[in-house]
Amino acid sequence: MEKAERNLIEPIGDVNFDRPHLDFSKGLKKFQLKLETFFIKKGFLLLLIGFLLGRALILAKLTPFSLPFFAAVYFIRRDKAPIALIGLIGGAATLSFIQAGYSFFTISLFLVIYRLFSRWINNEIKVLPFLVFSILLVGKIAKAFILTSQVTIYDGLMAGVEASLGFILTLIFLQSIPLLTMNKRKQALKTEEIVCLIIMLASVMTGTIGWKVYDLSIEHILSRYLVLVFSFVAGATMGSTVGVVTGLIFSLANISSFYHMSLLAFSGVLGGLLKEGKKIGVSLGLFISTLLIGMYGEGAGTLSISLLETAVAILLFLLTPQVFTSKVAKYIPGTTEYAAEQQQYMRKMRDVTAQRVAKFSTVFEALSNSFSNIDGKVDELDSEKELDYFLSNVTEKTCQTCFKKEQCWTKNFNTTYEQMKEIMYEMDENVGTVSSKTSRNWEKHCIHSKKVIATMQQELTLFQANQKLKRQVQESRRLVADQLLGVSEVMGDFAKEIQRERETHHKQEDQILEALQEFGIHIENVEIYSLDQGNVDIDMTIPYCGGHGECEKLIAPMLSDILGETIVVNSEECSTYPNGFCHVTFRSAKAYAVDTGVAHAAKDGGLVSGDSYSMIELGCGKLAIAISDGMGNGERAHYESQETLQLLQKILQSGIEEKVAIKSVNSVLSLRTTDEIFSTLDLAMLDLQNATAKFLKIGSTPSFIKRAGKVTKIQASNLPMGIIQEFEVDVVSEQLKAGDLLIMMSDGVFEGPKHVENFDLWMKRKITEIQTNDPQEIADLIMEEVIRSRAGSIEDDMTVMVAKIKHNTPKWATIPVQKRKKA
């Protein structure tokens, strides 16, 4: 019973009381879809256009629209050509039956000629206008001959004009018909396509000439409505263009409509200028234009009728749904809707790219996990199996042919197995030798003891080589796993970076532009990409300053005051000619800067040192300082240390974390050669935005930080790189301050002083005694003290690097913009 009640009560919770009883949006969409199906898919829009074009006239006599329209429809949408033909013949019949017969004759002639010669036509688009021209020329002359039994020069000229118009109209209709018949168009309209569309719409409206409702001209209402729509959608430029083109075609169709071109052009300009006032502003522009141009008309009656026509056009415009105007605006370059559509497309492409990069990141992470899982499966069971395989190989060569095999391996299996395992472990630990006690016990147990031990020594060599190979394979897998994980992290960060949109900073751009122009600095363009603290990114276009450094000396200091942080010139592309423009990028300056000094010397004063050093710019305000000491001296040690730093630099610059980078370098060095060649690494990662430092020391000597006369030692315990395949990297973090001195050195300097028991105290004392703060002088003095302690001899390669942390003071002081504005 309770279950039944629960089933009856629960559905009440799904009722949405906020939902309106009547959903008009769905009904509107259904109505819109039905209209599109009726007019576009079924082709009745072509029927309507064909009817109006069939009765359209030029100079009250020429009818050049019918054949070009039919030819274009026949070429683009052949299945709808019969509907267009019906509309054209019907429209021509409203003028006269002779005109209807003439239109039918020219279209039939076109179909016959096109069908006869279509197999020899390679490029139909190029041939089509010439075919229309020829048919109209012949048809017009034939019509004149049939009606008057003669052909005058005037008839020939009019035939040439109509044929020429037909040639041009064919090209126009080929461009404009697809814009009206394709309901799914994604590309923006080209300028040529927009003009062709306007000409076609104006030509269609000429078919309404002579239609009046209560003395109001239909063509005037429709033309003004068309100007209103384009002025509202695309502004003054497009509005005036539509007005001029429409008025010109109307004036050709009817000479009395010539003044109407001025009205449409002026209303297009004025309506476009008042576009910010939305529909009311554009409508006001048309009303004012009608009033001003109408004063030059034929009297008060004409002005009143013109004002009524304008009122009807404005009413139609106000009743036009926003969906229609927004849809038209999407295809016209320069409009807000077009920019939004392009932005949406770019956002979609960005999201797709980010998703693909993120998927690659997931794939690399999965691969890394698979390699890591393989390494984790090596356990004690595998060791037991390997031991069994080793002993089986030994017994196969020794015990298999012994007459006491039954006694040893059947009756005394455990004793024999444990003793052979003990012998193997002792050989492995003592480099192939066995203790006398174990040897005596084995001789008592086995009659071929020496042969078994000799065989085990041989097999042990193979066993150890196999184990070393397995360890290298495991290390290779770990290296691949770490590298894949690092690549996965980098690609994941890259995917997040892609998804970050460029924020719109129009208000800030205008403020910066206004502030700079108040100082008399002309700025052509300002584009802000980021205003994040410490990550400002601004591009400017300014006139050529003649190489006076205007960007560095004036604009950057003013931006520093406006944004509240130090801004510097990051890059500058100057114009190659005096009247050109320069493109400048301004970025945030680093809060701290580093001055460095280096002193180094090779063993015995040689030319090639086994030590290598490097300072690596990593971007994002990070700096890496590194010293590597190759094992030994000479070219081989120099090659090893240099290779270590180059590998490290490339991996760090790819964005991989420093711990993973050092592990990767260590694995590469340990796997690439069988020689016992190792190298140390002393790495300091400095963040120049907050002066934090990370120290990673791999087999290297301590570093020292000198602050206000006090010296602090930085030390970490890690073996040199390349000795063992797997190790954990100890990271020591320190917060540095402006004025601190960071001193890093190789073992040749730290352990160089002669007759010194405590190197730490000696080095601290010498650093404390140094009075100068110049990094290069400090490096030279430390090197000199060490060499003097050995009576001028250089026993090992020596390298000293000194870095001084200081506030990053800009070259040019900030110019106070805000105070001047307040004043």
Side-chain angles (χ1 to χ4, degrees), residues 613-680:
Y613 63 91
S614 179
M615 284 171 287
I616 309 167
E617 289 278 356
L618 300 179
C620 300
K622 289 188 177 181
L623 176 69
I625 303 175
I627 297 176
S628 180
D629 182 7
M631 183 177 179
N633 311 102
E635 292 186 3
R636 182 61 186 271
H638 174 77
Y639 173 78
E640 290 295 325
S641 60
Q642 191 70 24
E643 192 74 10
T644 299
L645 290 184
Q646 288 179 356
L647 282 170
L648 181 68
Q649 178 177 349
K650 291 176 182 177
I651 297 175
L652 286 175
Q653 287 178 339
S654 69
I656 294 178
E657 187 186 10
E658 51 268 13
K659 276 189 177 184
V660 178
I662 289 176
K663 286 185 176 183
S664 301
V665 173
N666 175 73
S667 300
V668 170
L669 294 178
S670 62
L671 291 173
R672 71 178 182 178
T673 180
T674 57
D675 300 336
E676 292 187 352
I677 302 263
F678 317 118
S679 58
T680 65

Side-chain angles (χ1 to χ4, degrees), residues 559-627:
L559 289 175
S560 300
D561 184 73
I562 293 171
L563 300 175
E565 62 174 296
T566 305
I567 306 297
V568 295
V569 176
N570 180 261
S571 63
E572 184 176 6
E573 295 180 8
C574 287
S575 174
T576 55
Y577 51 92
N579 295 325
F581 293 94
C582 302
H583 302 280
V584 192
T585 300
F586 297 92
R587 298 274 177 87
S588 296
K590 302 177 182 67
Y592 294 87
V594 176
D595 289 338
T596 56
V598 181
H600 58 94
K603 182 180 179 181
D604 298 327
L607 297 176
V608 180
S609 172
D611 294 348
S612 296
Y613 63 91
S614 179
M615 284 171 287
I616 309 167
E617 289 278 356
L618 300 179
C620 300
K622 289 188 177 181
L623 176 69
I625 303 175
I627 297 176

Side-chain angles (χ1 to χ4, degrees), residues 32 154 466 521 599 718 757:
Q32 183 181 353
Y154 176 77
N466 188 33
I521 301 174
N718 290 308
E757 293 183 1

Side-chain angles (χ1 to χ4, degrees), residues 138-152 155:
V138 173
K140 190 68 175 177
I141 294 174
K143 178 183 176 183
F145 182 78
I146 292 171
L147 294 177
T148 61
S149 301
Q150 62 179 356
V151 178
T152 63
D155 293 331

